[in-house]
Amino acid sequence: MDGIRQGAAGGVPRRAGWYVQTLRLTACALLAWLVWQVWHLSTYEAADVVWVCDGTGSCGTDHFASVGPFAGIAAAIGLGIAAARYLHRSAPGAMVALSAWAALAGWQDALADGKVTRADTSAWFLLVPVELPLPTWLAVLRWLTAAALAGACCGAVSSLNRTAAVARFLRGRACAPGTLEGWRSLGRRHGEADLLFADERGVRHRVPVVVARRALTRETVLAVYDPARPGDAARTRAALPRKEARP
């Protein structure tokens, strides 16, 4: 009972936390599968979509592939929101890359199965109502996949730098809640401030660090320091995790 009370007092109990994480990861996996399936279907079945027009300019079809791109966009947005906790700033690029890759795979599979030929033209009638040759669509989707992956990598690097993940997990740095005092501008986006924190022995430190201007909006930040030299400014920095550090 004491353990349960302590877990409740300190936040979500450990077992409950793992349960929540498992559910969230399962939801992300299912959404990723849905994104792939919908975008793949939207191109693989594109040749089977038959539009019926009434002569007044309005056309319709009952084939799901016609609205596949819209369902794919909705699923990708949902996946991006669910996976943002893990992917951080790489989430948008990763969602676009997954969607473009799935659409590319759909047309490649349709080509391999003989549903279309390279001489055929196709269009996403509702999303991109432009008839383009199949090789053009393949080239566009390859380019879009590569560009989105590059954007995801840039986002990942930015997130790793913002959260000091490399220093925390690969360089053996310790972490502690900290606060910032003072501000000495070093440009439009960055400046120098004093980072106040207590190390693992309870000793208080005031270390000058360079931080982004957006750090001033945080009540607390995460002090990342070398346990052997906690007062060394060269080995200390202020990280900005997604959630504020608990004091």
Side-chain angles (χ1 to χ4, degrees), residues 138-207:
L138 296 177
V140 168
L141 288 172
R142 288 192 183 101
W143 177 87
L144 183 59
T145 301
L149 285 175
C153 290
C154 291
V157 171
S158 176
S159 293
L160 289 173
N161 180 66
R162 179 177 59 86
T163 60
V166 174
R168 292 162 59 188
F169 299 111
L170 299 182
R171 298 179 182 175
R173 298 292 195 263
C175 303
T179 57
L180 296 173
E181 288 187 0
W183 176 257
R184 298 171 290 279
S185 179
L186 297 177
R188 294 182 59 185
R189 296 184 178 181
H190 294 81
E192 187 179 69
D194 292 332
L195 174 62
L196 282 68
F197 67 96
D199 63 23
E200 55 192 10
R201 294 175 297 179
V203 179
R204 301 286 300 177
H205 298 276
R206 178 186 289 267
V207 182

Side-chain angles (χ1 to χ4, degrees), residues 18-31 82 86:
W18 280 109
Y19 179 71
V20 171
Q21 292 300 323
T22 300
L23 288 179
R24 183 177 284 118
L25 288 171
T26 301
C28 290
L30 291 174
L31 283 170
Y86 310 107

Side-chain angles (χ1 to χ4, degrees), residues 60-140:
T61 181
D62 58 357
H63 202 296
F64 177 77
S66 64
V67 296
F70 296 98
I73 291 173
I77 292 174
L79 176 59
I81 294 173
R85 179 183 181 88
Y86 310 107
L87 299 179
H88 296 264
R89 294 181 178 178
S90 65
M95 298 308 103
V96 174
L98 177 62
S99 301
W101 184 24
L104 174 63
W107 258 318
Q108 289 175 329
D109 289 345
L111 187 63
D113 294 343
K115 294 175 69 67
V116 294
T117 67
R118 290 188 173 273
D120 292 339
T121 60
S122 184
W124 280 323
F125 189 76
L126 296 178
L127 183 63
V128 185
V130 178
E131 290 283 344
L132 295 175
L134 185 58
T136 302
W137 278 118
L138 296 177
V140 168

